[in-house]
Amino acid sequence: MPTLLWQSRILKIAFVCTFCFLHIVLSACSQSSSIKTDELDAVIERLQSSFINQDLLNSDDLNRAAIQGVIDFVDDPYTTYMSQTRVEHFNSALEGMASDFEGIGASVTERGGEIVILGPLPGSPAQEAGIKPGDKLLAVDGDLVKGKTLDEVVTQVRGPQGTIVRLTISRVGTPVPFNIQILRQTISISSVLARMQSDDIGYIQLSRFDATTAENFRTAIQDLTNAGAKGLIIDLRNNGGGLVTAAVAVASEFISTGEILRWVESSGAETVMNVTGEGIAFDIPLVAIVNNFSASGSEVVVGALQDNGRAKIVGTRTFGKGSVNTLEVLDSGAGLYITMARWFTPKGRQIEGDGLEPDIVLGRPLNPKTLSEIGTHVTDLCAIHAEYSVKMEDYPNLEKSLNQLCNYQPDIEQQKLTDLFLDTAVIEMDRMLRS
């Protein structure tokens, strides 16, 4: 059975294609939609015999373009082809990689041809340097990332401990790109971090859902309650997802009976996943924190907790990735990552595209995709202004406004700001414990 998961495309992985896979895909399609491969073969043959730029027509590049064309045609952001190397790295991440690595400690994804940072890992050099969720990576040490694969970019960012990497970042609210220097360090990966937030409140941060999460999460609950915690805060901010079984196990720690989620396939077939029945914290007061980058498995947990009246949710509307994906490993070792269903909360709420509204909303609800588009347009506008500013002297007011917008320089020094989300969660937990 293929592995079912909700996982944003993270770190470490590249696109490399094989022509035999293209024929497998097209042959499968031809059985139901009369797509034929002979016309494609004829087009490639004629290009190879007559096209003027023959250096563009090596077989690897043609294979890559043809396969990517099929993937682009289905127009689904989560359906993609994976090379054998990418499949191996992807599975390693879900298995809960025990080994450390040297780098900056940030999860990234590829979206619409851009490299977007999902969030820095807790306590990482990226976090200390001021990297934020939603930042777009434009260049590494002055080398533009446009046109590079995710794996190529990650390889550039990684490097020996003690060396410095310079990232060029585009950030919503900052009209011009800016540079951040980060000292690479050895990064230890764990999906679960726990501590006592106060004398009677425990805090658990979940960065993803992998094969080690369920066991480590239960251990964290036990350790915190043994240390005196009478209430728990679960932090799901910037958690992009992972294994469905891990998400169900986490929610089941707090819900004694009933449904955690269901998904519906294109055929209309429904699959329901109920609680494991093995939870250990059915009665402890609970608050969960989310933000715009809480996605997939995080939304499974939040939806189940909300619909069962089991926790107060604090933060901003979640990302809205409600797709169930399966990784089909091919004979070559490569894989096809396919969206095969949409999932719903126990009360039937669809998450895809909408996200989940917290019980206590903080700040303004922002759509990450919209923010990314705004940032791109502002960056383009300032590039045009830089090129044509000498011709705008007859429009002094417009020139002044553009100068203010495009010459703004952010303070990228890390500031010790109050964590409004966590502070609010603590206040809510205090209220719950008093009542």
Side-chain angles (χ1 to χ4, degrees), residues 206 209 217 232-236 247-256 259-261 275 281-282 284-290 297-314 343 345-347 349 356-357 359:
L206 290 175
F209 296 95
F217 186 70
L232 293 177
I233 295 173
I234 310 302
D235 195 340
L236 295 166
V248 170
V250 165
S252 295
E253 295 290 0
F254 307 108
I255 302 170
S256 59
E259 183 179 323
I260 297 296
L261 75 149
V275 298
F282 297 144
I284 193 167
L286 187 65
V287 174
I289 309 175
V290 296
S298 299
E299 293 169 300
V300 169
V301 174
V302 170
L305 294 176
Q306 269 191 326
D307 285 4
N308 284 279
R310 187 59 190 85
K312 284 288 187 181
I313 312 301
V314 172
W343 63 267
T345 70
K347 290 186 176 180
R349 292 184 292 162
L356 293 170
E357 184 82 359
D359 301 305

Side-chain angles (χ1 to χ4, degrees), residues 82-97:
M82 291 184 175
S83 69
Q84 181 176 354
T85 300
R86 184 178 179 189
V87 169
E88 293 170 354
H89 288 167
F90 191 86
N91 286 331
S92 294
L94 291 175
E95 289 166 2
M97 302 180 337

Side-chain angles (χ1 to χ4, degrees), residues 49-88:
S49 64
S50 304
F51 186 60
I52 188 169
N53 292 326
Q54 286 292 308
D55 57 333
L56 297 177
L57 300 181
N58 69 76
S59 59
D60 287 343
D61 289 343
L62 285 174
N63 296 342
R64 184 180 299 111
I67 294 174
Q68 195 58 46
V70 175
I71 300 299
D72 290 344
F73 177 77
V74 302
D75 195 25
D76 179 82
Y78 308 113
T79 296
T80 187
Y81 170 79
M82 291 184 175
S83 69
Q84 181 176 354
T85 300
R86 184 178 179 189
V87 169
E88 293 170 354

Side-chain angles (χ1 to χ4, degrees), residues 213-291:
T213 300
E215 180 180 354
N216 291 338
F217 186 70
R218 172 168 292 191
T219 299
I221 294 174
Q222 294 170 329
D223 290 346
L224 292 173
T225 53
N226 289 338
K230 297 180 174 60
L232 293 177
I233 295 173
I234 310 302
D235 195 340
L236 295 166
R237 288 177 291 181
N238 309 324
N239 182 322
L243 291 171
V244 57
T245 50
V248 170
V250 165
S252 295
E253 295 290 0
F254 307 108
I255 302 170
S256 59
T257 61
E259 183 179 323
I260 297 296
L261 75 149
R262 68 179 60 203
W263 69 74
V264 181
E265 301 177 36
S266 60
S267 64
E270 288 192 5
T271 299
V272 175
M273 297 196 73
N274 293 314
V275 298
T276 64
E278 300 174 352
I280 61 171
F282 297 144
D283 299 319
I284 193 167
L286 187 65
V287 174
I289 309 175
V290 296
N291 65 3

Side-chain angles (χ1 to χ4, degrees), residues 174-434:
T174 302
V176 293
F178 57 94
N179 295 322
I180 294 182
Q181 292 195 127
I182 305 177
L183 180 67
R184 298 182 178 104
Q185 297 178 17
T186 298
I187 309 298
S188 297
I189 298 179
S190 175
S191 65
V192 181
L193 294 175
R195 67 172 185 262
M196 289 297 294
Q197 184 66 27
S198 65
D199 290 341
D200 54 2
I201 298 176
Y203 170 90
I204 304 176
Q205 183 178 51
L206 290 175
S207 59
R208 67 181 182 278
F209 296 95
D210 61 34
T212 68
T213 300
E215 180 180 354
N216 291 338
F217 186 70
R218 172 168 292 191
T219 299
I221 294 174
Q222 294 170 329
D223 290 346
L224 292 173
T225 53
N226 289 338
K230 297 180 174 60
L232 293 177
I233 295 173
I234 310 302
D235 195 340
L236 295 166
R237 288 177 291 181
N238 309 324
N239 182 322
L243 291 171
V244 57
T245 50
V248 170
V250 165
S252 295
E253 295 290 0
F254 307 108
I255 302 170
S256 59
T257 61
E259 183 179 323
I260 297 296
L261 75 149
R262 68 179 60 203
W263 69 74
V264 181
E265 301 177 36
S266 60
S267 64
E270 288 192 5
T271 299
V272 175
M273 297 196 73
N274 293 314
V275 298
T276 64
E278 300 174 352
I280 61 171
F282 297 144
D283 299 319
I284 193 167
L286 187 65
V287 174
I289 309 175
V290 296
N291 65 3
N292 292 132
F293 294 91
S294 301
S296 303
S298 299
E299 293 169 300
V300 169
V301 174
V302 170
L305 294 176
Q306 269 191 326
D307 285 4
N308 284 279
R310 187 59 190 85
K312 284 288 187 181
I313 312 301
V314 172
T316 59
R317 182 177 288 274
T318 60
F319 186 86
K321 182 186 183 295
S323 60
V324 182
N325 295 85
T326 178
L327 177 56
E328 301 277 2
V329 179
L330 306 174
D331 291 341
S332 66
L336 186 62
Y337 188 68
I338 308 171
T339 297
M340 49 82 70
R342 301 291 184 208
W343 63 267
F344 297 79
T345 70
K347 290 186 176 180
R349 292 184 292 162
Q350 179 172 312
I351 303 307
E352 180 66 27
D354 296 326
L356 293 170
E357 184 82 359
D359 301 305
I360 301 175
V361 179
L362 301 175
R364 299 178 180 178
L366 301 173
N367 185 314
K369 297 177 183 177
T370 301
L371 292 178
S372 179
E373 291 179 3
I374 292 173
T376 298
H377 291 319
V378 170
T379 299
D380 291 344
L381 174 63
C382 290
I384 295 172
H385 172 243
E387 184 176 355
Y388 294 103
S389 60
V390 295
K391 300 180 181 180
M392 299 182 62
E393 55 188 20
D394 293 334
Y395 306 94
N397 291 335
L398 177 60
E399 174 72 2
K400 180 179 179 181
S401 298
L402 288 173
N403 278 331
Q404 285 183 316
L405 176 68
C406 299
N407 293 327
Y408 171 77
Q409 292 296 323
D411 180 7
I412 62 173
E413 293 296 325
Q414 179 70 0
Q415 299 178 8
K416 302 300 182 182
L417 299 177
T418 299
D419 189 337
L420 173 63
F421 286 45
L422 180 55
D423 288 348
T424 303
V426 170
I427 291 171
E428 179 62 20
M429 178 56 67
D430 282 334
R431 185 195 65 77
M432 294 169 68
L433 293 177
R434 287 196 305 271

